[in-house]
Structures are given as C-alpha cells and as structure tokens.
Amino acid sequence: MSNIAIEDFAALSEKMDWSLFDNVFTSGAVGMRKPDQGFFNHVLAEIKIAPEEVLFLDDKLENVAAASHQGIKGIVFNTSTFDTLHVLQDIAISKGYEYLNRNSQNFDSMTDNGEAVLVPGGYFPDDLDTTSLALTVLPPESDEEVASMLDRVADHFLSVWQTYFDHGKPRIDEVVSANILACLCHFNRGHHFQRTIEMIHKTLLQRTYLKGTRYYPSPDCCLGFFARLLQIGRYEDSLQDKLGALLKVRLQERVGEDGKAFDLAMRVMACAWLGIDCDVDRYALLRLQHGDGGWAGGWMYRFGSSGIRIGNKGVTTAMAVKALTLADCAKKGVAKSGLT
C-alpha cells in the first residue's frame, strides 16, 4: 500500500522491480489514501486474508493506527523495527508453548472428512515409520531393547524399506524410507543403505515430491523430513555428498510459496537446518498464529488406499514453535539440532 500518484508510480517502476511483490496497491490507482479505512477494506478484500493474519509496517503512526482499527497487527517502521519483529517472534513462541501446556492430552487428530479417528476401518499393523520416529525422539532406556528394535527394523529392508512390520502388506514410501534411515543414522547404523539414498535422490531430481508421497501429502512435508535426515546424518559423508546440494536447491525453490501453517513450519525448519534464508516464510508462519497461541492443524499424513488426510492442531503448533526456535537460533548463529 502506497500513497503515490499514478504518474509517479510509473516513473518509479522504471527503477524498481515490483514483481518482487504479489500485489501493489497505490492510492492513485485505487482512488483512496492511507489512513482511509476504505483503502484497508479494499486491500483486505483483494488479498482475501483475514485482518488478524496480516502484518502492516508503515513509517507513519496514523497509518498503523488505522490498520490496527481493522484488526491488523501494525508496526511503525523505524530503526528498532527488526528488534520489534524478534520480540513478536519470542512472544509467539511463548504463546505456543503455553497453548501446548494448557491443552496437553486433549489433542485429537482429525481427518479431512471431519472424523476424529486415526484408523477409519481396516487392519493396520505396526509400522516402521512411527517406530523409527519414536526411537529417535523417545528411545527406551535399555540399550538391549533399542538394539532389538533396530534389528527388527533392519529385517524389513528388502532392497527398499517396507512401511509395515508385515511382509504380507508391502508398501513403499520415500519419506518413510528417509525416516527409517534417519533413525539408523542416529544410532550409527545407517552405513549400508545406499539404495535408500539413491531413491531419495531420484525423488529430488525428478521433483516427484511436489505431489507428495503415498503417505505424506505435501511437498514441504517431504522436503522437511529429507532435511531432517541430513541433519541427523550430518556426519555421514555419502549422505551429504549425494543429497546435500540438491536438497538445498529444492528448498530454495520453495521459499516464498503459499502454504498452510504445517507446511510453512516444515519449510522454515528445513531451511534453518540447511542454512537457507526464508524470512518471508517465517513471518508468514507468525501471521498464522491464532489468538489462543496455537496454529491450525494441517494435513501431515494420509492413508495410502483412501487418500484420507490426517491433521492435529497440537502437532502443527509444536512444529511451528520448533521451526521459529530453530530459525531464531540460525539467525543468531547458535547450533541447535532439535530432532523432531
């Protein structure tokens, strides 16, 4: 939004690349000026974003006050603006933690057909994906039990990883394979699975992740788990050499793309791990925080046969808090692996 005449904007366009912005609203073209409420109403109607999800920066207090009257979060731009944005992020993280603590044990997962069920009919045996994630984050205290579980996981590598602990239900998924390999790397047992690395490399090379995988529906979710694999296996040279540079390129291609809260959280986290600047996505994620401190549950997973997707507001909020924390650490140059 800019108070500028049509002819002045045309002259300025010769000196600046306005394609950097999705939309530009000038007073000359709209016929209204800041701080007119009608100008803000017009912009909100055009961008189709709720006022509470918009962040407005301006160098004049009266314009920020007008935006705030609409329910828009406003900041007067000056030399302390960047400090203000960091404060907003710290507040968002604190509110996220408070939301998680306040609602602990009350986070039901929902399907995209509105049902609060995890298994909509049918038989689902134990799976290697959930087991690998749990082993990485919450391993048993007994080393013998860990070794036994890892041996059982390794028994289901049949040239590629199976998804289920059931040879009668053969299912393959690239993200599942990445999560299993990440688990093995975490326990220093990921040295002998080059074919898994080749499969992930092919997925990145051909961009098939853009349509998701059998069980993981979004490209940002896929790239986020691939980045997690590289973070956990950061001392595995063969893994880094084969996937590192290509994954970084693919993540850079996603920066600035539209996305729901869960997708943005996965993207911000992945970019923080790989040292990619994605402030635009970080601020987009901040804008999506609800007043209660949480973020809307996005679709993290889907059933392979039915395509029914599963989301959870608690998971999305935890991922968003983690992503913002990692991004802040990356900005400050603080090393923090933060396995998810």
Side-chain angles (χ1 to χ4, degrees):
M1 295 176 66
S2 177
N3 290 344
I4 188 171
I6 293 176
E7 58 273 16
D8 292 335
F9 179 72
L12 189 60
S13 296
E14 298 176 0
K15 302 177 182 179
M16 181 172 179
D17 181 12
W18 290 100
S19 66
L20 293 169
F21 301 93
D22 294 327
N23 296 285
V24 177
F25 301 95
T26 66
S27 58
V30 176
M32 292 176 280
R33 295 174 58 84
K34 298 177 292 183
D36 294 347
Q37 291 296 311
F39 198 179
F40 289 97
N41 287 331
H42 171 80
V43 171
L44 288 171
E46 288 294 316
I47 64 176
K48 295 179 174 60
I49 299 176
E52 62 271 16
E53 296 179 0
V54 175
L55 179 64
F56 177 74
L57 279 74
D58 197 278
D59 59 348
K60 290 184 169 56
L61 178 60
E62 59 267 30
N63 295 338
V64 171
S68 299
H69 184 73
Q70 294 279 348
I72 297 170
K73 185 180 296 182
I75 297 176
V76 179
F77 188 87
N78 53 39
T79 55
S80 65
T81 298
F82 292 104
D83 291 335
T84 302
L85 291 173
H86 280 298
V87 170
L88 285 176
Q89 175 173 285
D90 291 342
I91 293 173
I93 292 171
S94 297
K95 287 176 64 178
Y97 275 120
E98 290 172 4
Y99 174 82
L100 292 171
N101 289 327
R102 190 169 63 250
N103 295 281
S104 61
Q105 301 182 15
N106 292 313
F107 292 117
D108 291 331
S109 294
M110 297 294 296
T111 60
D112 57 6
N113 60 8
E115 297 180 7
V117 292
L118 285 178
V119 182
Y123 164 67
F124 288 83
D126 293 343
D127 67 271
L128 281 77
D129 192 26
T130 307
T131 300
S132 296
L133 291 170
L135 270 174
T136 306
V137 180
L138 296 169
E141 293 183 4
S142 167
D143 291 340
E144 291 77 11
E145 188 175 354
V146 171
S148 175
M149 295 176 72
L150 291 174
D151 289 340
R152 190 180 174 205
V153 167
D155 287 342
H156 287 75
F157 182 78
L158 305 175
S159 73
V160 290
W161 291 108
Q162 303 298 303
T163 297
Y164 295 106
F165 287 106
D166 184 345
H167 291 301
K169 196 176 178 70
R171 302 290 187 272
I172 307 298
D173 184 281
E174 293 83 355
V175 175
V176 172
S177 297
N179 290 339
I180 296 170
L181 184 56
C183 176
L184 293 171
C185 288
H186 180 70
F187 291 102
N188 298 312
R189 293 180 58 166
H191 312 296
H192 308 296
F193 301 100
Q194 189 63 32
R195 296 186 68 170
T196 301
I197 299 174
E198 293 290 344
M199 179 175 67
I200 297 170
H201 181 266
K202 183 178 179 180
T203 301
L204 291 170
L205 193 64
Q206 298 181 351
R207 294 187 177 89
T208 55
Y209 60 85
L210 289 174
K211 295 182 179 180
T213 61
R214 178 179 177 86
Y215 297 111
Y216 288 91
S218 82
D220 295 301
C221 189
C222 295
L223 294 179
F225 280 110
F226 292 157
R228 175 180 179 272
L229 167 61
L230 262 69
Q231 171 64 20
I232 294 176
R234 54 193 175 277
Y235 302 119
E236 300 285 345
D237 291 340
S238 60
L239 186 66
Q240 300 295 329
D241 293 343
K242 188 68 175 181
L243 301 180
L246 180 57
L247 178 56
K248 192 167 186 176
V249 170
R250 294 296 181 254
L251 278 169
Q252 289 169 331
E253 293 172 351
R254 295 294 302 168
V255 172
E257 292 288 333
D258 291 338
K260 301 296 185 182
F262 184 81
D263 299 322
L264 289 170
M266 293 297 288
R267 189 188 306 166
V268 170
M269 209 175 326
C271 288
W273 279 328
L274 270 67
I276 298 171
D277 185 4
C278 66
D279 279 348
V280 62
D281 298 310
R282 184 159 57 103
Y283 294 135
L285 181 59
L286 283 168
R287 291 196 300 270
L288 292 178
Q289 188 174 30
H290 292 176
D292 62 5
W295 278 263
W299 307 121
M300 174 181 176
Y301 194 81
R302 65 182 168 198
F303 291 102
S305 56
S306 66
I308 293 174
R309 295 176 298 175
I310 302 172
N312 186 298
K313 187 171 181 178
V315 173
T316 300
T317 300
M319 290 294 195
V321 168
K322 191 66 175 181
L324 293 172
T325 302
L326 286 173
D328 189 48
C329 289
K331 282 286 184 184
K332 295 175 180 176
V334 179
K336 190 169 184 177
S337 59
L339 306 181
T340 58

